[in-house]
Amino acid sequence: TPDLPLLIPRRAKEIKTKLGTLLQKPDSAIDLIIPYPEKPEKPAKAQKPSQEEALQWRDSLEKLLQNPYGLASFRSFLRSEFSEENIEFWVACEDYKKTKSPMKMAEKAKRIYEEFIQTEAPKEVNIDHFTKAVTMKNLVEPSLSSFDMAQKRIFALMEKDSLPRFVRSEFYQELIK
């Protein structure tokens, strides 16, 4: 076709322009490469809880995670302890359970598996072999409940291990004054 020689340089120029744009904006390039974690919530933007509400968090990880300020605070605390993979996994599972499209569900399931479940994953969560095996079996045909067992195990781990440390932290102590 006679138009082909004209298309190749134009396409090359488009690619060069897009690459140049990406190179000028390293932040957006990083966002394209690393879809998780989402931008961390900033506690300052969420409404600070009442003392009464914050006191309830001592006994209920569920209430803590349902509150945007509580979730952001807990995530910051875990980050300071270098153990934020658990909350990031939990949040990713919550997001996954809201997915409607089977295609999107398969994509998210693969991403969660690769990031948190598979052996040597960049943010591998600490789950037992049985839970890992059940989760992998569930991912053969992804459904909204594919990660339920693993998510429950990680929730229990955070409840037993991380929550008591969070409650003793200076940040939490400031909230309940």
Side-chain angles (χ1 to χ4, degrees):
T1 60
D3 293 343
L4 192 59
L6 296 173
L7 284 177
I8 294 171
R10 190 178 314 142
R11 184 74 183 127
K13 192 174 179 181
E14 282 174 25
I15 292 169
K16 192 176 174 184
T17 305
K18 284 181 182 172
L19 276 175
T21 307
L22 281 177
L23 291 173
Q24 288 169 2
K25 299 181 193 166
D27 292 347
S28 64
I30 294 298
D31 289 347
L32 291 173
I33 298 164
I34 307 168
Y36 276 105
E38 301 89 68
K39 300 263 185 281
E41 307 94 304
K42 295 189 174 44
K45 285 188 181 173
Q47 189 169 349
K48 194 172 177 180
S50 67
Q51 180 186 22
E52 186 182 314
E53 191 175 8
L55 282 167
Q56 293 177 350
W57 299 348
R58 291 186 299 195
D59 307 313
S60 175
L61 181 58
E62 202 167 320
K63 283 184 179 164
L64 170 66
L65 298 179
Q66 284 170 357
N67 180 291
Y69 194 96
L71 175 62
S73 303
F74 191 57
R75 184 181 263 173
S76 294
F77 169 74
L78 292 176
R79 193 173 295 123
S80 75
E81 290 199 328
F82 303 100
S83 64
E84 69 265 30
E85 68 280 349
N86 290 335
I87 191 67
E88 287 181 17
F89 172 69
W90 186 87
V91 168
C93 290
E94 288 299 292
D95 174 61
Y96 174 80
K97 289 190 281 192
K98 295 174 189 155
T99 308
K100 303 278 186 273
S101 150
M103 204 167 100
K104 279 243 188 289
M105 191 182 293
E107 286 171 21
K108 285 182 180 184
K110 182 178 188 288
R111 189 179 322 140
I112 291 170
Y113 171 77
E114 289 173 352
E115 192 165 357
F116 300 102
I117 305 289
Q118 77 181 6
T119 306
E120 302 294 320
K123 296 178 183 176
E124 187 176 0
V125 290
N126 186 5
I127 52 173
D128 58 90
H129 291 293
F130 177 73
T131 303
K132 189 180 271 196
V134 168
T135 303
M136 288 165 68
K137 187 173 165 276
N138 290 345
L139 293 176
V140 173
E141 287 183 36
S143 73
L144 292 178
S145 61
S146 292
F147 294 102
D148 283 2
M149 181 186 270
Q151 188 183 20
K152 282 185 179 103
R153 293 276 195 276
I154 292 303
F155 182 90
L157 183 72
M158 290 190 298
E159 193 170 45
K160 181 176 80 75
D161 195 38
S162 307
L163 183 61
R165 287 197 313 276
F166 174 69
V167 167
R168 290 190 302 268
S169 73
E170 263 181 56
F171 186 84
Y172 180 76
Q173 293 303 316
E174 285 297 312
L175 273 178
I176 58 170
K177 275 187 179 172

